[in-house]
Amino acid sequence: MWSAFFRTKNPNELHTEAAALKRNLTFKDLTALGIAAVIGAGIFGTIGQAAYDGGPGIIFLFIITSCGCLFSAFCYAEFASSTSTSGSAYTYAYISFGELIAWIIGWDLFMEYAVGNMAVAISWSDYFTAFLRGIHVDFPQWLSTDVFTATALQSEEAQQAYEQAPRLFGYPLIFDLPAIFITILITILVYIGIQESKRTNNVLVIFKIIVLLLFIIVGATTIHADNWTPFIPNGWSGIFKGTAAVFFAYIGFDAISTTTEECVNPKRDLPRAIFASLLISTIIYIAIALVLTGMVHYSTLNVGDSLAYALEQTGLHKFAGLLSFSAIVSMTGVLLVFQIGQPRIWMNMSRDGLLPKVLSRIHPVYKTPSVATVLTGLSIILPLLFLDLKQVVDLTSIGTLFAFLIVCGGIWIKKNTGTSTDSFQVPFIAGRYLLPLIMIPISVLYVHSIHAELTFDRQHVPVYACLMALALAIAYGSATNKSLIPGIGVCLNIILLSTMHHENWLRFVIWLVIGLVIYFFYGRKHSVIGKKLKA
C-alpha cells in the first residue's frame, strides 16, 4: 500500500502533449524571464521592510540567501537540463521521491506562485497610486486598499479608505482595483501566447535595469555614511527577521524551469539562464541595499515604496516619479513570469491525472494551457480582496524554501558518483568530511545568533524541529558520503526555514493538509501511473 504513494516517473518518459507547446525561448529570453521574476517586488517593495528589521547589514542576508539559492540553482539546473517536460519542482519530486511528495510540492507551488502574484500585484498597486499622486491625480483610497487592511484601521490611509468607502447593506465596498486590473491584463497576455509574452518581458527588463542603474548612480551622490552606523543595529536576529522578505525576492529562477517545453535548447540554455539571472540579480540587490540605507536611515524604511521614499527624502522628487513608473513596469514583468509558471505546473499535474484533465487543455491557436491560465488569474484575483502584503510574502517564502529543499534533496539522494552525460550535472564533491566541516561551524554561529530568543514553548517548535533535521542531514550526508553541493543546499534551506515565524508554519501545514485531502479523494484515484500499474 505505502509503495503506491512513492511510485516514481521515468525521466525519459515523454508526454505526448509536449509537442503542443511552441519552442520559442532562447538563452537571452530565459535570462530575461529570470531577471524579471527576481528583480521585482523584492527590490521595489519588500527590501524596505527587510532593511527596517536588519539595518544596513541586510546586505549579509542577501549574500547568505543568494548562496543558499546558488546551491539550489545547481540542483534545479541539473533537473531542468535532463527532464524533457515542464513542471519545475513538481516534476523533479515525482522523479526523485514519488507521487505523494510530488503532489505536496505541486500543491505547495500553487501557493508559492498564487500568493507571490498577490504580493506583487499589491506592490504594483502601491507604486501605481504613488505615481498618480506624483502627477497630482488622487486615486480613491477605498479603491486601492484591501478590506483586511482598511478595517484594521492601523494607518491614516486605512482609516480614510474605511470612512470614504460606499456602503452596500451597511458593508463598506473596499478593494484594490489596480491590483485586480493588472492581474486581468497579464492573464490575457499569457493566454495569448509565449511569443508575445517573451517580447513584452524583454522590453520591460531592459527598461528596469537601466532605471535601477540610474538609481544606484544618482543615489550614491546623496549617501551619508552616518546612516551606515551602526551597520547591524538589531544584531543578527534582526537581520534574519528579514529572511521571508529577502527570500521572496529570489524565487524567480525556479520559475524559468516551468518553461522547459517552450525552450529551443533546454539542455544548454536552462542551466546557463538560471545561473546568469541569479548572479545579475544578486549584484543589483546588494548595490541597491547599500545605496538605499546610505541615503536614508534604516528606521524610516518600513514603507511599501522604499526606493521612491528614499529619493523623495533626499530631494530627488522628479527621479522618484520615474522610479515609481519603473516599479510599475518591473512588477508587470514579475506578474508575467509567475503567471507563465503556475499554469504549466497545473498542466503537468493534470497530465499525470492528479488534477482534472481540463487543466491540461492546450489552446488550438495560441498553443498555451488555456484553462489553467484563466484559473490562475482567478486564483489571484479573489484573495486580493482580503489579504495584506505581509501575510502573502511570508507564505510565499516558506513555500519556496520547501520546494528548494525537495529539489536539492532529489539530487542529493541519487548522487554518489559523477557520471558522464550531455546534460548539465552538479559537480560531484565527496561530502563525508567537507559537509560537517562546513555546516557545523555555520550551524553553531546561527544558533549562537538566535539563542537569546529561544525558549521552550510551542512558538519555537518549528525552530527546534529544523535544527534537529539539520543535525540529521549533516550526519546522513557524512555517513553516506553524499555529494557536497546538494548537501549544503539541503542544510542551508533547512536553516532558512527555521527563521520562519511559527504562525507561517501553522498556515503552511494547514495548506498542506487541505492538499492531502484533495490528493487522497481525487489525485490518488485518477493517477495515470497508478492506473498503468493496476492494468
Side-chain angles (χ1 to χ4, degrees):
M1 175 185 175
W2 287 104
S3 61
F5 298 134
F6 300 100
R7 49 202 177 202
T8 59
K9 276 204 302 191
N10 185 341
N12 298 316
E13 200 173 86
L14 296 176
H15 287 292
T16 56
E17 297 95 332
L21 301 179
K22 291 181 180 179
R23 291 192 178 272
N24 288 315
L25 302 178
T26 63
F27 166 68
K28 292 180 180 179
D29 301 323
L30 292 166
T31 303
L33 285 172
I35 294 173
V38 176
I39 303 179
I43 200 72
F44 291 103
T46 56
I47 191 173
Q49 175 191 324
Y52 174 79
D53 290 329
I58 197 67
I59 65 166
F60 296 120
L61 185 55
F62 277 111
I63 295 170
I64 292 169
T65 306
S66 66
C67 288
C69 288
L70 177 63
F71 291 105
S72 299
F74 270 104
C75 301
Y76 266 95
E78 176 167 333
F79 270 128
S81 66
S82 60
T83 306
S84 56
T85 58
S86 302
S88 187
Y90 160 76
T91 301
Y92 310 154
Y94 216 146
I95 293 169
S96 302
F97 295 102
E99 186 172 284
L100 179 61
I101 303 300
W103 167 266
I104 291 173
I105 288 299
W107 187 248
D108 167 58
L109 289 173
F110 169 34
M111 178 186 70
E112 173 189 332
Y113 284 108
V115 299
N117 259 321
M118 294 172 213
V120 177
I122 293 168
S123 286
W124 191 95
S125 176
D126 287 342
Y127 272 92
F128 177 74
T129 53
F131 176 73
L132 291 181
R133 286 195 299 271
I135 57 175
H136 308 293
V137 176
D138 292 325
F139 198 83
Q141 287 289 343
W142 62 274
L143 282 177
S144 58
T145 307
D146 64 275
V147 68
F148 182 93
T149 301
T151 53
L153 300 177
Q154 293 182 352
S155 68
E156 183 180 342
E157 291 80 6
Q159 188 170 356
Q160 183 181 357
Y162 186 79
E163 293 173 353
Q164 295 180 355
R167 260 60 177 176
L168 181 65
F169 303 113
Y171 185 81
L173 294 178
I174 301 172
F175 55 95
D176 199 333
L177 181 61
I180 293 172
F181 169 76
I182 190 60
T183 302
I184 294 173
L185 190 66
I186 293 298
T187 301
I188 293 172
L189 179 60
V190 174
Y191 185 93
I192 291 175
I194 193 68
Q195 181 78 8
E196 293 74 15
S197 298
K198 79 163 188 179
R199 288 173 179 168
T200 303
N201 181 70
N202 289 345
V203 173
L204 297 179
V205 167
I206 291 171
F207 178 79
K208 170 168 51 180
I209 290 178
I210 290 174
V211 172
L212 288 177
L213 290 176
L214 284 174
F215 174 84
I216 293 170
I217 295 170
V218 174
T221 64
T222 66
I223 287 176
H224 295 282
D226 292 343
N227 289 329
W228 286 334
T229 306
F231 203 74
I232 307 179
N234 301 317
W236 285 95
S237 60
I239 289 177
F240 283 117
K241 280 183 182 177
T243 301
V246 169
F247 201 85
F248 173 73
Y250 278 98
I251 68 176
F253 73 83
D254 68 317
I256 304 175
S257 60
T258 64
T259 63
T260 303
E261 295 174 31
E262 289 149 302
C263 299
V264 175
N265 190 341
K267 287 187 177 182
R268 180 195 66 192
D269 293 340
L270 268 172
R272 294 167 60 199
I274 288 172
F275 291 122
S277 59
L278 185 60
L279 177 62
I280 294 170
S281 301
T282 299
I283 292 172
I284 292 176
Y285 271 135
I286 293 172
I288 290 288
L290 277 173
V291 171
L292 178 65
T293 54
M295 292 172 68
V296 295
H297 198 262
Y298 74 92
S299 61
T300 66
L301 288 173
N302 192 22
V303 293
D305 50 353
S306 54
L307 269 64
Y309 169 81
L311 289 168
E312 289 173 354
Q313 294 299 306
T314 51
L316 301 170
H317 301 288
K318 293 183 179 180
F319 194 72
L322 174 62
L323 191 84
S324 293
F325 179 73
S326 174
I328 295 170
V329 172
S330 173
M331 293 181 191
T332 303
V334 180
L335 288 166
L336 179 63
V337 177
F338 284 3
Q339 288 206 55
I340 287 173
Q342 178 60 60
R344 282 147 185 82
I345 294 171
W346 276 354
M347 176 186 71
N348 276 276
M349 295 178 74
S350 173
R351 289 173 176 176
D352 294 327
L354 303 185
L355 289 177
K357 193 68 176 175
V358 68
L359 290 173
S360 57
R361 184 179 298 168
I362 304 298
H363 195 282
V365 177
Y366 301 129
K367 303 299 181 183
T368 57
S370 52
V371 176
T373 300
V374 172
L375 288 178
T376 294
L378 291 175
S379 70
I380 298 164
I381 291 170
L382 296 178
L384 279 174
L385 298 174
F386 57 86
L387 280 178
D388 69 353
L389 179 62
K390 183 66 168 66
Q391 288 175 314
V392 293
V393 166
D394 290 353
L395 278 174
T396 301
S397 297
I398 196 170
T400 304
L401 280 166
F402 190 67
F404 284 6
L405 177 64
I406 294 298
V407 171
C408 288
I411 296 294
W412 199 34
I413 63 171
K414 76 182 185 70
K415 243 181 153 39
N416 279 317
T417 58
T419 55
S420 179
T421 176
D422 59 343
S423 301
F424 174 84
Q425 278 203 318
V426 177
F428 178 80
I429 303 172
R432 184 180 303 279
Y433 303 110
L434 288 177
L435 183 64
L437 187 64
I438 294 171
M439 289 311 308
I440 289 178
I442 291 175
S443 303
V444 170
L445 287 173
Y446 170 64
V447 172
H448 178 73
S449 70
I450 63 171
H451 79 281
E453 299 180 0
L454 288 179
T455 55
F456 289 98
D457 54 37
R458 63 181 181 180
Q459 294 186 4
H460 291 97
V461 168
V463 179
Y464 290 115
C466 287
L467 292 177
M468 186 178 297
L470 176 62
L472 292 173
I474 294 172
Y476 170 77
S478 177
T480 57
N481 197 29
K482 291 291 184 181
S483 181
L484 179 66
I485 291 176
I488 293 178
V490 167
C491 294
L492 290 179
N493 284 314
I494 292 174
I495 290 175
L496 290 171
L497 277 169
S498 73
T499 66
M500 299 291 120
H501 196 273
H502 73 281
E503 290 183 358
N504 297 316
W505 274 105
L506 181 60
R507 295 188 188 106
F508 181 61
V509 170
I510 291 172
W511 176 257
L512 292 186
V513 169
I514 295 171
L516 287 174
V517 171
I518 296 173
Y519 170 74
F520 283 108
F521 280 92
Y522 182 89
R524 180 169 172 265
K525 296 178 181 178
H526 295 83
S527 169
V528 172
I529 291 181
K531 289 180 179 179
K532 286 181 180 179
L533 294 175
K534 290 178 181 178

